[in-house]
Amino acid sequence: MSEAALADQSLFAQNRRAFLLRKLHSLTGVAPVGAFMVFHLWTNAKALQGQEPFDKAVAEITHTPYLAVLEWGLILLPLLFHAGYGVKLALDAKYNVSKYKTTRNWAFTLQRVTGLLAFAFIAFHLYEYWGKKLAGKLAPEQFYPALCQNMSATVKGIPVVGLLYVLGIAASVFHFANGLWGFCFSWGVTVSRRSQQMAAAVFGVLGVAIFLLGANTAIYFSTGSSVQDMIFGKKGGSDARTCVDILQQTQKPASVGPVIE
C-alpha cells in the first residue's frame, strides 16, 4: 500500500478531520461538560438547606488542590471547544423540520437551538459569578446572598432573572439528555432500533429529573421557597440562614416622617 493511501487512512488525515472533531465534540458534551453540569446542579441544591450548608459545599470545592488547573483543564477548555464547535455545527446545519416532521428531525433541530441558548446562558452565568470571583469582586461566601438578591429581583412582580435561569437550565438539560442519545448512537452503543428507543426513554426520564433538580434551586433563589415547600409547607427546626432572612435584612425600612409633639 502506498504512503499516500496510508496517509488517507490515518485518523488525523485532513479528510477525516471533521469526523474526529465531531467525535470529540460528542465526547466532551458528555464528559466532562455534561457530567460537571449535573455535579454543579447537585451542589447548588444544597442552597435549599440554607446558606451554611451551601457555603460548606462551595468551600470544599474552593479548597480542592490544583483547582485552577482542574477548572481550566477539565471544565473551561472542554466547554470552550464544545461550545465553539457546536456553534459552527448549528450555523452549518440544514434544517428541514417544516418538511419532515419526524421525532428525530425535531430532536436534531432542538439540539442545535438549545445548544445556542445554553451557550448564552452559561456565558452569562460564568460572567456573573465565576468571572467576578476571579476579578476579586465576589468572594465564595458572597455567592449565596448574591444569588438570592439577583434572582429574586422583579420587574412588575416577575422575577425575570430567576425565570431566565429556569429557561436556561431547561435548554442546557435538554441539550445534555438529547446529546446522550446522540452520543450512544454515534459511538455504536445503541445499534438496534429497540436499544435506541430504550435509550430515548431512559435519557428522557434522566433529563426530567436533572431539570427538576436545577429548576427547584432556581425557584428557591427567586422566591425563597422550594417547590416542596409550596406544596407541603415549610418545615421548621433549621437555624440556617435562608434567602428570606437575607432579603429581610437588606430591605431598607420605610422612611418615617418627623414626629410633631
Side-chain angles (χ1 to χ4, degrees), residues 25 68 70 77 93 117-118 139 186 215 228:
H25 177 260
L70 295 174
L77 290 179
L117 294 175
S186 64
Q228 55 265 36

Side-chain angles (χ1 to χ4, degrees), residues 141-176:
E141 61 271 14
Q142 294 176 308
F143 284 170
Y144 190 92
L147 285 162
C148 292
Q149 294 171 9
N150 294 344
M151 294 179 65
S152 64
T154 60
V155 176
K156 296 184 178 181
I158 301 174
V160 177
V161 177
L163 181 59
L164 289 176
Y165 263 79
V166 172
L167 295 176
I169 292 169
S172 301
V173 172
F174 178 89
H175 189 76
F176 172 63

Side-chain angles (χ1 to χ4, degrees), residues 9 20 22 27 29 67 78 85 98 105 113 119 122 126-127 169-170 174 199 205 258:
Q9 289 185 356
L20 179 62
R22 283 177 177 269
L27 178 62
L67 179 62
Y85 195 70
S98 60
N105 205 17
V113 172
F119 174 57
I122 292 170
L126 287 175
Y127 168 78
I169 292 169
F174 178 89
V205 172

Side-chain angles (χ1 to χ4, degrees), residues 36 39 56-71 74-75 133:
F36 175 75
F39 170 76
K56 182 179 178 181
V58 172
E60 290 176 355
I61 297 173
T62 304
H63 293 96
T64 301
Y66 307 107
L67 179 62
V69 176
L70 295 174
E71 284 181 334
L74 295 181
I75 301 171
K133 184 193 78 170

Side-chain angles (χ1 to χ4, degrees), residues 4-239:
L6 289 173
D8 287 341
Q9 289 185 356
S10 171
L11 183 61
F12 299 98
Q14 186 173 0
N15 61 348
R16 302 194 68 183
R17 194 169 299 164
F19 170 81
L20 179 62
L21 288 173
R22 283 177 177 269
K23 287 292 186 181
L24 188 58
H25 177 260
S26 175
L27 178 62
T28 54
V30 175
V33 176
F36 175 75
M37 180 195 71
V38 177
F39 170 76
H40 187 59
L41 293 176
W42 178 265
T43 302
N44 284 352
K46 296 284 185 182
L48 277 65
Q49 302 172 21
Q51 182 172 357
E52 288 79 1
F54 180 84
D55 286 351
K56 182 179 178 181
V58 172
E60 290 176 355
I61 297 173
T62 304
H63 293 96
T64 301
Y66 307 107
L67 179 62
V69 176
L70 295 174
E71 284 181 334
W72 282 98
L74 295 181
I75 301 171
L76 292 173
L77 290 179
L79 175 61
L80 287 173
F81 165 76
H82 185 81
Y85 195 70
V87 170
K88 180 183 184 304
L89 292 177
L91 297 178
D92 291 346
K94 295 180 180 180
Y95 304 99
N96 55 5
V97 72
S98 60
K99 186 175 181 181
Y100 301 103
K101 302 179 185 297
T102 63
T103 302
R104 289 319 307 171
N105 205 17
W106 270 108
F108 172 86
T109 302
L110 290 175
Q111 182 70 2
R112 278 139 186 82
V113 172
T114 55
L116 295 174
L117 294 175
F119 174 57
F121 167 66
I122 292 170
F124 169 73
H125 180 63
L126 287 175
Y127 168 78
E128 281 288 291
Y129 299 99
W130 185 79
K132 290 181 180 179
K133 184 193 78 170
L134 286 185
K137 297 180 180 180
L138 194 67
E141 61 271 14
Q142 294 176 308
F143 284 170
Y144 190 92
L147 285 162
C148 292
Q149 294 171 9
N150 294 344
M151 294 179 65
S152 64
T154 60
V155 176
K156 296 184 178 181
I158 301 174
V160 177
V161 177
L163 181 59
L164 289 176
Y165 263 79
V166 172
L167 295 176
I169 292 169
S172 301
V173 172
F174 178 89
H175 189 76
F176 172 63
N178 191 53
L180 284 173
W181 186 94
F183 172 84
C184 291
F185 176 76
S186 64
W187 284 78
V189 178
T190 52
V191 178
S192 67
R193 185 171 181 81
R194 178 174 174 77
S195 64
Q196 293 166 15
Q197 292 173 340
M198 290 180 62
V202 170
F203 294 142
V205 172
L206 178 65
V208 170
I210 297 172
F211 168 72
L212 292 176
L213 175 70
N216 193 28
T217 306
I219 291 171
Y220 170 77
F221 279 128
S222 303
T223 65
S225 298
S226 64
V227 173
Q228 55 265 36
D229 289 339
M230 297 176 183
I231 297 175
F232 303 108
K234 290 188 177 182
K235 296 180 180 179
S238 175
D239 296 328

Side-chain angles (χ1 to χ4, degrees), residues 233-251:
K234 290 188 177 182
K235 296 180 180 179
S238 175
D239 296 328
R241 190 179 185 219
T242 66
C243 276
V244 174
D245 299 326
I246 291 169
L247 294 176
Q248 288 177 345
Q249 292 173 359
T250 56
Q251 286 176 349

